[in-house]
Amino acid sequence: MTNWQELESKYFMHTVERVPLTVVRGQGARVWDEEGREYLDFVGGWAVNSLGHCHPAVTKAISEQAHLLIQASNQFYTIPQIRLAELLVQNSCLDKVFFGNSGAEANEGAIKLARRYGQLHLGGAYEVITTLGSFHGRTLAMVAATGQPKFQESYPPLPTGFINVEYNNVDAIKSATTDKTCAVMVEPIQGEGGVNVPDDGYLPAIKAWCEQKGILLILDEVQTGVGRTGTLFAYEQCGVEPDIMTLAKGLASGVPIGAILAKERVAVFTPGEHGSTMGGNPLACAAGYATVRFIIDNGIPGKVKAVGEHLIAGLEGFKQKFPFITEVRGRGLLVAMEFSSDIAQSVLTACLERGLLVNRVKPNAVRFMPPLIIENKEVDEALGILDKALASMAK
Ligand SMILES: Cc1ncc(COP(=O)(O)O)c(C=O)c1O
């Protein structure tokens, strides 16, 4: 049998410490390795496989579109792109859409849009305030936006124009605002930072401040969007409408896509000011349309809320038995469990050995971001495995 992991180390740049598992097939909330071993997947392609692996609605849309048209250049009109844009606008508070290929690309475009808006309407203001512990992507500008030194320190000099301030602290945003500020960009819940849920008043207070100052609120919903937190978009839960919102991960159930959505008055790009060769190609947009249509038509966000509460209750229930669990936090199917010491890698390995995939989001925390279509019985199965894995930690 081919040793894929050895070949990977020979040919692939070492950018990630991989889990020793080669995934060859997926169906619903399960994946299989080369030897046919089955795993319950609570990583979900890293909050990407909204409808699970190989959902028939998505595979049908992809295969039909693949036979019709995969790519035609954005110089021409293509129908899936327009249909997906219409669907997103009709189901959000935003008016205009631009498609790219990833979360980082969507966020880059959002920053460009905010800077262009600043040039036109805010006397040339260009600075964007972001938060510590955030994650906005891996391009140079998004590394500067991402308030985590570990992603920044290898790449000086970083692009300027970003100020990283404390999360969940609106006064920090107020103090950092100057006449050079054009926007504030935050995640409604910090995903990569460890599933950090801010206080209820945080986003409304930022919004009020942005309105007072005439600056833009950009919500990075790359991870929280498309049903993940129990509403189609996380902003719906805090009564705040962003001026710009970015999406990616779950939007097309695993086919690469990213999107910038903006209010009409903020959508100030003119022809030639932004673009992407493959962004919004018919294949990705057909998968995106099938995904979002299914999520809306089947009331998936409401189901995510209920099944997420079941998951959180189950995890909370472990606290008494395993006192080294210090906190369970999250919304919908974006949930983290934190420990009193750095045992997340050992918990991940113990789960893997028992057939459950989880993510180590911090040295002392694991994260669960399963497909949005999972049901309580799959959560119970995962909790059963986790129970045994946690018991093995206690020994
Ligand atoms: C909130 C957020 N923004 C942006 C990104 C970057 O997305 P991508 O990896 O698709 O570039 C991520 C990825 O984890 C994310 O969680």
Side-chain angles (χ1 to χ4, degrees):
M1 199 182 261
T2 308
N3 188 335
W4 296 107
Q5 293 173 24
E6 201 176 276
L7 279 185
E8 190 266 5
S9 69
K10 186 168 174 201
Y11 294 118
F12 205 82
M13 289 195 201
H14 193 195
T15 60
V16 55
E17 296 297 349
R18 298 193 203 248
V19 170
L21 167 68
T22 307
V23 181
V24 295
R25 187 165 72 84
Q27 193 63 55
R30 288 169 206 277
V31 294
W32 287 265
D33 68 11
E34 299 168 278
E35 277 136 41
R37 202 171 161 217
E38 183 179 306
Y39 299 83
L40 187 54
D41 184 4
F42 271 46
V43 175
W46 214 278
V48 164
N49 300 314
S50 306
L51 305 190
H53 296 279
C54 301
H55 191 282
V58 178
T59 53
K60 181 169 178 283
I62 294 173
S63 55
E64 282 178 6
Q65 191 59 46
H67 284 94
L68 204 59
L69 183 71
I70 293 178
Q71 158 77 347
S73 157
N74 280 315
Q75 205 178 13
F76 307 109
Y77 296 87
T78 52
I79 297 166
Q81 183 180 100
I82 301 164
R83 290 179 77 210
L84 179 57
E86 179 184 46
L87 187 63
L88 290 173
V89 167
Q90 285 174 346
N91 289 282
S92 72
C93 65
L94 290 317
D95 306 305
K96 288 275 160 68
V97 183
F98 176 89
F99 291 116
N101 303 282
S102 69
E105 189 188 344
N107 285 336
E108 283 268 348
I111 299 298
K112 284 173 72 181
L113 187 60
R115 282 196 182 183
R116 186 71 184 116
Y117 182 88
Q119 219 173 36
L120 293 170
H121 300 296
L122 301 172
Y126 62 91
E127 268 179 7
V128 178
I129 300 170
T130 64
T131 59
L132 294 167
S134 64
F135 188 83
H136 299 294
R138 300 287 197 156
T139 60
L140 266 182
M142 286 312 101
V143 164
T146 291
Q148 297 199 52
K150 69 176 177 190
F151 295 118
Q152 300 180 331
E153 53 208 13
S154 307
Y155 304 106
L158 291 178
T160 53
F162 295 96
I163 299 176
N164 309 145
V165 304
E166 193 184 17
Y167 191 60
N168 200 21
N169 178 351
V170 75
D171 289 333
I173 290 175
K174 289 182 179 175
S175 311
T177 306
T178 68
D179 56 5
K180 292 202 200 83
T181 311
C182 68
V184 176
M185 177 161 81
V186 288
E187 295 158 83
I189 295 172
Q190 287 185 334
E192 298 309 300
V195 189
N196 304 319
V197 184
D199 297 339
D200 288 346
Y202 180 57
L203 287 174
I206 300 178
K207 175 71 182 174
W209 178 249
C210 288
E211 274 181 358
Q212 191 182 325
K213 290 288 167 188
I215 59 179
L216 303 177
L217 173 61
I218 307 173
L219 286 186
D220 177 347
E221 292 231 26
V222 164
Q223 186 154 158
T224 55
V226 206
R228 171 69 43 194
T229 67
T231 44
L232 191 56
F233 304 109
Y235 74 76
E236 295 168 41
Q237 291 175 49
C238 40
V240 157
E241 293 194 355
D243 300 298
I244 302 175
M245 171 172 76
T246 54
L247 302 173
K249 289 184 179 289
L251 183 53
S253 267
V255 180
I257 192 167
I260 311 166
L261 284 80
K263 294 274 192 195
E264 183 87 49
R265 81 184 158 83
V266 177
V268 292
F269 283 147
T270 55
E273 285 182 352
H274 193 52
S276 175
T277 298
M278 287 191 280
N281 72 73
L283 191 75
C285 288
Y289 186 87
T291 301
V292 179
R293 186 83 269 165
F294 188 94
I295 286 174
I296 292 169
D297 291 351
N298 293 278
I300 298 294
K303 291 180 184 168
V304 165
K305 186 171 183 296
V307 79
E309 279 164 8
H310 184 66
L311 172 63
I312 289 175
L315 296 173
E316 286 282 356
F318 286 146
K319 271 185 171 170
Q320 210 168 3
K321 191 167 168 192
F322 305 112
F324 54 87
I325 301 173
T326 51
E327 198 185 355
V328 173
R329 54 179 181 261
R331 290 267 189 287
L333 289 172
L334 181 58
V335 178
M337 184 165 66
E338 194 158 296
F339 310 111
S340 53
S341 60
D342 292 351
I343 57 165
Q345 189 63 36
S346 310
V347 172
L348 182 156
T349 303
C351 287
L352 180 74
E353 284 165 4
R354 292 164 177 81
L356 173 67
L357 307 185
V358 299
N359 164 246
R360 185 192 70 110
V361 68
K362 284 166 63 172
N364 68 337
V366 291
R367 177 173 43 167
F368 310 94
M369 39 192 170
L372 306 182
I373 43 92
I374 58 157
E375 295 182 0
N376 284 354
K377 63 177 189 312
E378 279 140 344
V379 169
D380 292 340
E381 192 183 333
L383 290 170
I385 297 173
L386 202 54
D387 190 6
K388 294 195 184 78
L390 293 170
S392 77
M393 294 299 110
K395 278 175 197 147

